[in-house]
Amino acid sequence: MKYIVANWKAHKTLEESQGWLKVFLQKMNASNEVLQNLEYDKLQIIIAPPLPFLQPILEKIHGYKNVCLAAQNISDKDDGSFTGEVTAHILAGLVRYALVGHSERRSIYAEGKEIIELKIQQAKKYNIEPILCIRNKQDHEDNNAQFVAYEPVEAIGTGNNYSIENVQEFKTSLELPSDNVFLYGGSVDSQNAPLYLREGDVQGLLVGSSSLDPDEFFKIIVSV
Ligand code: PGA
């Protein structure tokens, strides 16, 4: 199985997100290869839109096997008096995954290992699979999850994707258990996606900028 995640970050209006989905689903429905990959568990498409669009998107993807949603973030708290927080309990039933520890959360919102650990625990408590984003080995030593997304800071949003050799070397250094799922993210686009996907070491991609355009994102999907 290859996992391809679209991380829209703080982009798109409701109307734009619906337009994206319309184009994307049209392309998907027209591709027997993609539909078969989904059907036979070779491909899983995970869309991480802004939180308010989870429900409307869920209604449209309902019924497609292996097309599902992720939260870009999750609260470290359980339900309670936490104005503005969106807890794992609230998200349960909407999302299958949650990104945890994205480098933007770590650097802009000062999220450290204790908060990240609480988020991982909250996600698991409500049967949401945390995707732990790590910038380096230290981040992985501090926290752990079955899904690990390696996103070197220098590669995020810069156009300087890490070479497959560097990514493979990094993965080897982590000594992951065999049931772990290792993703790469950082300036992935339709040109470089096949380089990662044809190597067995990388089981998926976390795509930011290139996921905003449904045509470009679909090209990445096709390369699985
Ligand atoms: P990018 O972002 O693809 O724009 O580099 C990836 C990410 O931050 O998840």
Side-chain angles (χ1 to χ4, degrees):
M1 176 86 99
K2 299 282 188 194
Y3 301 83
I4 311 290
V5 187
N7 176 15
W8 291 358
K9 308 190 180 182
H11 293 289
K12 297 194 187 297
T13 61
L14 175 60
E15 211 183 351
E16 286 164 351
S17 73
Q18 284 172 332
W20 186 101
L21 203 66
K22 194 169 170 216
V23 173
F24 187 76
L25 290 181
Q26 267 167 5
K27 286 181 173 286
M28 211 175 81
N29 287 327
S31 168
N32 279 336
E33 205 185 331
V34 170
L35 291 174
Q36 287 204 351
N37 282 342
L38 293 168
E39 181 61 28
Y40 296 114
D41 294 331
K42 289 191 179 151
L43 165 70
Q44 189 168 100
I45 301 168
I46 303 167
I47 305 169
L51 291 176
F53 311 148
L54 286 171
Q55 177 65 35
I57 294 181
L58 186 64
E59 283 165 17
K60 298 250 164 56
I61 62 173
H62 202 77
Y64 286 101
K65 190 180 172 195
N66 281 319
V67 183
C68 55
L69 295 175
Q72 295 175 19
N73 184 29
I74 197 165
S75 180
D76 58 311
K77 306 277 193 297
D78 213 327
D79 291 2
S81 300
F82 305 110
T83 303
E85 285 297 280
V86 181
T87 63
H89 188 209
I90 295 170
L91 289 164
L94 280 173
V95 300
R96 196 183 294 185
Y97 299 92
L99 302 184
V100 174
H102 190 281
S103 87
E104 287 149 17
R105 303 293 320 169
R106 292 178 192 263
S107 62
I108 305 169
Y109 299 97
E111 287 184 10
K113 60 182 176 181
E114 287 83 10
I115 296 277
I116 291 169
E117 193 53 37
L118 290 170
K119 292 183 176 206
I120 291 172
Q121 297 313 328
Q122 281 301 311
K124 286 184 177 165
K125 181 174 175 188
Y126 292 101
N127 293 320
I128 294 170
E129 185 73 52
I131 301 175
L132 173 66
C133 303
I134 60 170
R135 304 161 298 180
N136 49 41
K137 214 160 176 269
Q138 172 77 49
D139 288 347
H140 189 252
E141 282 159 8
D142 291 342
N143 302 107
N144 216 332
Q146 195 185 357
F147 280 69
V148 177
Y150 175 41
E151 297 207 305
V153 175
E154 314 83 71
I156 298 179
T158 57
N160 298 321
N161 62 300
Y162 257 32
S163 71
I164 178 67
E165 291 78 17
N166 283 343
V167 173
Q168 280 170 321
E169 196 180 315
F170 179 79
K171 186 189 175 189
T172 307
S173 77
L174 292 181
E175 298 178 18
L176 296 172
S178 59
D179 67 343
N180 270 208
V181 176
F182 179 81
L183 315 183
Y184 168 73
S187 297
V188 170
D189 60 22
S190 61
Q191 299 289 311
N192 59 40
L195 301 176
Y196 303 102
L197 292 173
R198 68 170 170 245
E199 300 296 328
D201 294 334
V202 178
Q203 285 128 301
L205 299 169
L206 181 44
V207 188
S209 329
S210 296
S211 73
L212 293 174
D213 172 8
D215 294 303
E216 173 68 2
F217 188 63
F218 190 74
K219 283 187 198 154
I220 295 173
I221 295 297
V222 169
S223 58
V224 169

